[in-house]
Amino acid sequence: MVIIFVLSVLFYFLVLLQTTLLVYFPFWGILPNFAFIFVLLVSIFEKKKSSLGLFLAIITGFFLDIFSDSYFIGFYVILLAAMVIFVELILKKYTRVAFFK
Amino acid sequence: MNSVLKLKKSQLKFNPKLILFVVLVLIIFNIPLVSRQTRNFFYSFSTPIQKSFWGVGRSTSSFFQALVNFKKLKSENDELKLKVKELLLRNTAIIELKRENEILRSALGIGLEKEFGLIMVEVTGKIIGQDAVFINKGLKDGVSENLSVITQEKVLVGRVKEVYDNFSKVILISDKQEIFNIEISRDEEGFTDNIAGVANGVGNFELSLKLIPKEKEVKENDIVITSALGEVFPKGLLVGSIQQVQGVDIEPFWQIKVRPAFNIQDLEKVFLILKR
């Protein structure tokens, strides 16, 4: 639970950075969504039976919904959760990569 | 032991009941009143942090831009000095014309148009996934929807889209949802007839112009200003300058890209126009 809390706070600040500091540093005119990228990385590198990625997807998705003009609160939650589930069920199950244990 | 969340050492076990719980929570958060209050709470809580990050971003960005553009700085500085002299001369002529205009108006009994009432606000952050920004004033400060937003130099930035108690969302003119009437003007002798058209945001801080017939002569660096038609924005606000003009043979209109006059990275304090 401590891990979830700490990561939630970190991702909250990441979303705030996404709306402020990172706006000044686009990559060739494009601003990537770093919250998405980091949730994806956590879900890829977490242990196989862990659900940390999914919890982070829900929490980060909620913050993204608050600080964006999404259609409804829950849009990014569903999107991120679907991405994490895809990684968990498909990528890790059917691909052979050394760091998936 | 039917807890929603089961913990086992350092691992977290996922319980299907969690899905139901999350869905219920999301449904509650989407009730309009709860949604507004939740957003308002988070914006209130986050504003000091956002303001700090926004300020840090500006100064860091300026520092790196100075390093990168070091070589160009001197020539750009010389060009700007010449431009300033030219504008000062022109300004003197405009002041004289304004004075004559006022005298004539009072002689003919025409009332002067009232100046805009303005509210100064601060930009606190950008909305993710959209050309829109947060500002630090809302319902309690007299902000309402569709108020025009301009910079100190009367450059058009956008309009207020959503208003919360203490915050508002401003949609920029470059957003895909924005479409408004404009005029193209040129500071050239003999150019007397402004060209009417429509500006459309395309996202990523870019604008395009539509419905400009090919019979009209349009050049790069022509000035684009708001027109009185449509009544979306007040007339005469600077939108930007023409960046590129392209013509496709089969189409009767030019394809024009506009460079907006505002720069999101320079937005700090802006003004809301309260009345026309």
Side-chain angles (χ1 to χ4, degrees):
Chain A
M1 287 302 284
V2 174
I3 298 171
I4 288 184
F5 178 74
V6 168
L7 284 174
S8 301
V9 171
L10 281 173
F11 275 78
Y12 165 71
F13 278 103
L14 181 61
V15 170
L16 286 187
L17 283 173
Q18 186 79 34
T19 64
T20 53
L21 186 68
L22 296 176
V23 172
Y24 291 93
F25 302 101
F27 294 91
W28 292 281
I30 297 167
L31 181 60
N33 193 322
F34 286 96
F36 259 81
I37 293 169
F38 281 103
V39 168
L40 181 64
L41 288 174
V42 166
S43 69
I44 288 174
F45 289 102
E46 65 176 345
K47 289 180 184 172
K48 212 167 183 180
K49 291 184 181 175
S50 168
S51 300
L52 179 62
L54 189 60
F55 282 110
L56 276 178
I58 292 168
I59 292 163
T60 309
F62 174 74
F63 289 139
L64 284 172
D65 283 320
I66 293 291
F67 289 101
S68 71
D69 199 30
S70 56
Y71 300 106
F72 56 91
I73 293 180
F75 177 75
Y76 281 106
V77 172
I78 293 167
L79 207 60
L80 281 169
M83 181 180 74
V84 167
I85 290 169
F86 172 79
V87 167
E88 196 72 33
L89 293 179
I90 311 294
L91 206 66
K92 284 184 176 177
K93 204 169 179 180
Y94 296 107
T95 57
R96 288 186 183 186
V97 184
F99 49 73
F100 289 163
K101 289 183 183 177
Chain B
M1 298 287 283
N2 286 328
S3 56
V4 173
L5 187 64
K6 293 177 190 173
L7 293 172
K8 189 178 177 182
K9 292 184 182 178
S10 61
Q11 289 187 342
L12 297 162
K13 290 286 183 189
F14 178 67
N15 190 318
K17 287 180 187 175
L18 183 61
I19 299 175
L20 188 61
F21 175 71
V22 169
V23 168
L24 278 170
V25 167
L26 290 177
I27 289 169
I28 291 168
F29 274 127
N30 277 291
I31 297 168
L33 183 65
V34 175
S35 172
R36 279 184 69 87
Q37 292 303 322
T38 309
R39 286 181 195 267
N40 201 56
F41 167 74
F42 276 97
Y43 298 155
S44 306
F45 184 77
S46 310
T47 292
I49 310 168
Q50 279 185 304
K51 270 167 92 168
S52 311
F53 285 153
W54 192 254
V56 167
R58 286 188 72 222
S59 33
T60 315
S61 166
S62 304
F63 173 73
F64 283 113
Q65 272 180 9
L67 286 177
V68 167
N69 297 324
F70 182 71
K71 285 183 184 175
K72 291 188 213 167
L73 280 175
K74 189 179 181 313
S75 59
E76 200 179 317
N77 193 33
D78 291 336
E79 273 176 40
L80 285 169
K81 280 182 182 172
L82 278 171
K83 190 83 185 169
V84 165
K85 283 183 190 171
E86 196 186 313
L87 288 169
L88 279 171
L89 278 169
R90 213 182 288 174
N91 198 37
T92 315
I94 290 170
I95 290 170
E96 186 55 33
L97 280 170
K98 190 182 170 196
R99 199 180 63 82
E100 283 177 24
N101 184 266
E102 282 168 7
I103 293 169
L104 283 168
R105 278 178 179 269
S106 61
L108 291 168
I110 303 169
L112 287 172
E113 190 178 338
K114 288 179 186 172
E115 287 193 355
F116 300 142
L118 299 174
I119 302 177
M120 190 175 81
V121 298
E122 271 187 70
V123 173
T124 56
K126 182 190 167 297
I127 294 173
I128 294 169
Q130 202 181 5
D131 282 17
V133 293
F134 293 107
I135 55 172
N136 66 342
K137 290 199 176 161
L139 280 169
K140 291 181 180 175
D141 305 289
V143 179
S144 57
E145 285 185 9
N146 296 319
L147 293 183
S148 302
V149 182
I150 59 173
T151 65
Q152 193 178 357
E153 297 86 18
K154 289 191 185 172
V155 170
L156 182 63
V157 174
R159 62 183 174 89
V160 177
K161 188 189 171 194
E162 282 176 43
V163 186
Y164 297 87
D165 289 342
N166 300 307
F167 300 89
S168 304
K169 287 184 184 175
V170 169
I171 187 164
L172 304 177
I173 54 172
S174 57
D175 189 82
K176 290 175 189 174
Q177 295 174 36
E178 283 301 278
I179 185 160
F180 55 97
N181 293 87
I182 52 93
E183 286 178 353
I184 299 174
S185 174
R186 190 182 303 150
D187 188 18
E188 197 179 82
E189 272 191 51
F191 190 92
T192 52
D193 201 17
N194 285 353
I195 303 165
V198 170
N200 183 211
V202 293
N204 207 24
F205 312 115
E206 289 176 5
L207 277 168
S208 68
L209 297 187
K210 293 182 177 181
L211 307 178
I212 312 285
K214 281 185 176 168
E215 295 83 50
K216 302 286 182 180
E217 191 198 352
V218 179
K219 290 184 195 173
E220 285 184 17
N221 297 319
D222 280 350
I223 304 296
V224 180
I225 56 174
T226 52
S227 82
L229 292 172
E231 297 186 352
V232 178
F233 298 112
K235 181 186 172 180
L237 298 174
L238 179 61
V239 174
S241 58
I242 291 180
Q243 189 178 5
Q244 191 185 60
V245 183
Q246 275 183 335
V248 178
D249 288 340
I250 54 169
E251 288 192 14
F253 302 112
W254 292 112
Q255 288 180 352
I256 301 173
K257 277 189 193 173
V258 174
R259 189 186 308 113
F262 77 89
N263 184 350
I264 182 138
Q265 296 179 356
D266 294 333
L267 288 182
E268 191 183 0
K269 288 183 172 44
V270 292
F271 297 87
L272 307 185
I273 299 175
L274 283 177
K275 59 180 179 179
R276 296 183 184 180

